Amino acid sequence: MTEKLRQTIREEIGKLPKETQDIINAVNWVGITEEIAKKFNLTESEVTDFQTEVLLVLVGLTEPDSFSLNIENEIGLSGNEAKKMTDEVFEKIVTPMVNMKTEKMKQEIKEKDPHWQQNLGFIMS
């Protein structure tokens, strides 16, 4: 990974809410992308492009639905290879992040412990 990409990652993740930053930083997504890139024999330049595409999805600048097509276009992989990479990214990076966010939300709801009286009071107000 180039120093320029490291700086871009820090800047883009730094623009996100603290909670989102914590979730992204909790998963070693850079290391995972390097492992995936190695499996697909990507060059150093292609690894940088791949990691950039992953970052764009993580920070919300690219729709997840277009991720596979972006990999195909930016790296020059076949549609089948891009799909395999996409599936692996979602399995190893995105899904664990979504699960963390879900668990955090469940915990926050549990901590608030809403009672029926609170709901009734809200409705009546």
Side-chain angles (χ1 to χ4, degrees):
M1 175 183 301
T2 65
E3 186 55 40
K4 182 178 179 183
L5 181 57
R6 278 191 182 95
Q7 181 61 32
T8 301
I9 289 170
R10 281 191 293 271
E11 289 172 5
E12 291 303 317
I13 291 176
K15 294 176 185 176
L16 300 171
K18 174 83 168 94
E19 181 179 300
T20 304
Q21 290 178 35
D22 292 344
I23 290 171
I24 290 174
N25 291 328
V27 175
N28 181 15
W29 69 270
V30 172
I32 294 168
T33 57
E34 288 171 352
E35 289 173 16
I36 295 169
K38 193 177 210 178
K39 281 169 79 173
F40 288 87
N41 299 314
L42 300 185
T43 66
E44 189 174 325
S45 172
E46 291 169 335
V47 172
T48 299
D49 292 342
F50 175 55
Q51 289 175 323
T52 301
E53 292 302 322
V54 172
L55 174 65
L56 291 172
V57 170
L58 295 179
V59 299
L61 294 175
T62 297
E63 290 294 322
D65 292 342
S66 45
F67 181 62
S68 184
L69 184 60
N70 290 350
I71 289 174
E72 188 177 338
N73 292 334
E74 292 299 319
I75 300 173
L77 297 176
S78 71
N80 188 38
E81 288 177 309
K83 173 78 170 102
K84 287 179 184 177
M85 286 183 82
T86 298
D87 291 345
E88 201 162 338
V89 166
F90 277 83
E91 175 190 333
K92 295 180 177 179
I93 298 171
V94 176
T95 299
M97 287 181 183
V98 168
N99 291 342
M100 281 186 234
K101 177 67 175 172
T102 302
E103 286 304 313
K104 184 156 181 57
M105 289 172 63
K106 285 180 183 177
Q107 187 62 38
E108 288 171 358
I109 289 170
K110 205 182 253 187
E111 288 172 2
K112 288 182 181 177
D113 192 29
H115 297 292
W116 68 269
Q117 296 96 341
Q118 289 175 319
N119 291 337
L120 180 62
F122 176 76
I123 292 169
M124 298 300 288
S125 63

